Structures are given as structure tokens and as C-alpha cells.
Amino acid sequence: MPITASSKAYRVGRSKTGLGLFATMPIKKGTRIIRYFGPILDSRIPAHDEIENKYLFELNGRWTIDGSVRKNLARYINHSCRPNAESDVRPRERKVFIRAIRNIEPGDEINYDYGTDYFKAYLKPIGCKCASCEKKRKKLRAEARAERAKVKARSERKTAKKAGPKAAKKKKLNGHAFGKANGRAQA
């Protein structure tokens, strides 16, 4: 990933899950990275309560930030089950800041945990695509392949035992079975 010179510590770039926010310079643990902003919606107003998009950031039971505005670059921060940032929610001020919870190197994608409700509603149906979940799924697939290979080998050994030692072993040559009978090769 090329690193662009910028006064900001982040840039929008291509990610595994679409677009993401990437660090352009080292970000130290505890540093505020970006503010999540947009129109403030009041859940007591029926028109506001009916708005449905995936960029809604709930401050509390009443106030929600609609982060779908284009200038809100924080909306490009993707979910991760092992994040390098977290949201610092300030409901009284009606503000949300994203800050680093560990050191982030240039080129690293900035991500945080979206929470259980969002995960169940949007991510679980399609499967989480964060690096830690991908790694878990890859490990589970490898274990399943190994288990299937064991079961197949076991069943082949059982069928070989049932056939007994008297069964002539046949070899394949160019897809044709050959066996020895009376010292001569048969086709």
C-alpha cells in the first residue's frame, strides 16, 4: 500500500470488506484519531426514528448520530473482533471520537468493535470478515479437511481388511486395471 503524504494520520483506501480507513503515519496508543459526526437524530421524533442505514451510531436511548454524510470519514472504519481502536462516546456532548487502543503503524487499517447489536443485525448473516475471524475460519476448515481425510483413510482400511489378504491387488496403468495371474500380466 502506498503511503501518501498528508497532514492527517489517515486515508480512505481499498479494504477486504470494501473501503476502509488506513493509517498514513504512526498513531500512538491513546491518541484521538477522528471524530464520528453527522446530523443528530432524536428517537422521540417519528421521522427520525424511521431512518434506517448502517451508519447510525447510537449515543444513548434517545440520541443517535447519522454518520452517512460524505464528509464523515470515520464511517469508513470497519469492524474487527480484535480492534486497534475504540469509540469514545460522549452522550452529553453528543460527540463520538475514535481513539487508538494500541500503537498503529502506517498502512494498518483502523478498526473497532461495532458491538453486539450491530454485529447480530448486519455482520452475522454474512459472516464477519475481520482478520481474526478469517483466521479462525481458515483453521476450522483445515481441521475439518484433516478429519475428513482421517475418516476416509479409516474406511479404506476397513474395506481392505474385509477383502482379506487373498484379494489380488490391482494396479492402475493409464486408467486400466492390471493384475497378475499365473505370472503373466492380464489386461
Side-chain angles (χ1 to χ4, degrees):
M1 250 179 259
I3 298 173
T4 57
S6 171
S7 62
K8 298 189 182 203
Y10 51 83
R11 68 169 177 81
V12 176
R14 183 67 50 198
S15 172
K16 282 184 183 180
T17 58
L19 292 176
L21 203 66
F22 293 85
T24 58
M25 56 184 68
I27 301 171
K28 291 188 177 188
K29 179 180 177 180
T31 305
R32 271 192 199 167
I33 303 170
I34 192 169
R35 180 176 166 213
Y36 196 95
F37 67 92
I40 305 293
L41 306 177
D42 186 348
S43 64
R44 295 185 306 173
I45 300 172
H48 288 181
D49 204 30
E50 293 172 5
I51 293 175
E52 189 65 36
N53 71 53
K54 61 183 179 179
Y55 300 113
L56 297 177
F57 199 111
E58 190 173 295
L59 296 171
N60 57 28
R62 181 176 173 193
W63 302 106
T64 302
I65 297 174
D66 181 2
S68 61
V69 294
R70 286 261 193 218
K71 289 184 178 182
N72 179 25
L73 295 181
R75 73 189 187 139
Y76 294 111
I77 299 174
N78 290 313
H79 165 81
S80 177
C81 295
R82 290 206 171 159
N84 56 15
E86 69 181 0
S87 57
D88 182 11
V89 181
R90 300 183 176 187
R92 287 187 179 199
E93 298 171 23
R94 297 185 191 146
K95 291 182 181 180
V96 174
F97 293 98
I98 308 302
R99 66 181 173 85
I101 56 172
R102 62 176 192 244
N103 293 334
I104 303 171
E105 296 300 317
D108 287 352
E109 185 173 3
I110 301 167
N111 46 50
Y112 65 94
D113 190 346
Y114 285 179
T116 310
D117 295 337
Y118 189 95
F119 187 87
K120 286 179 182 175
Y122 293 100
L123 300 176
K124 194 170 187 175
I126 59 170
C128 179
K129 301 218 184 304
C130 76
S132 65
C133 288
E134 287 285 341
K135 190 175 178 180
K136 269 190 248 178
R137 278 195 294 275
K138 191 175 182 180
K139 183 180 177 186
L140 290 174
R141 285 192 301 264
E143 289 172 354
R145 277 193 305 274
E147 185 61 31
R148 284 193 303 270
K150 282 182 187 178
V151 169
K152 184 178 177 184
R154 196 177 305 132
S155 67
E156 287 174 354
R157 283 194 303 269
K158 282 184 181 180
T159 55
K161 275 187 178 180
K162 286 182 183 177
K166 293 180 182 179
K169 291 187 178 180
K170 292 185 177 182
K171 293 183 179 179
K172 284 192 172 185
L173 181 65
N174 292 335
H176 300 289
F178 282 89
K180 280 194 165 186
N182 300 331
R184 295 187 321 198
Q186 264 186 330

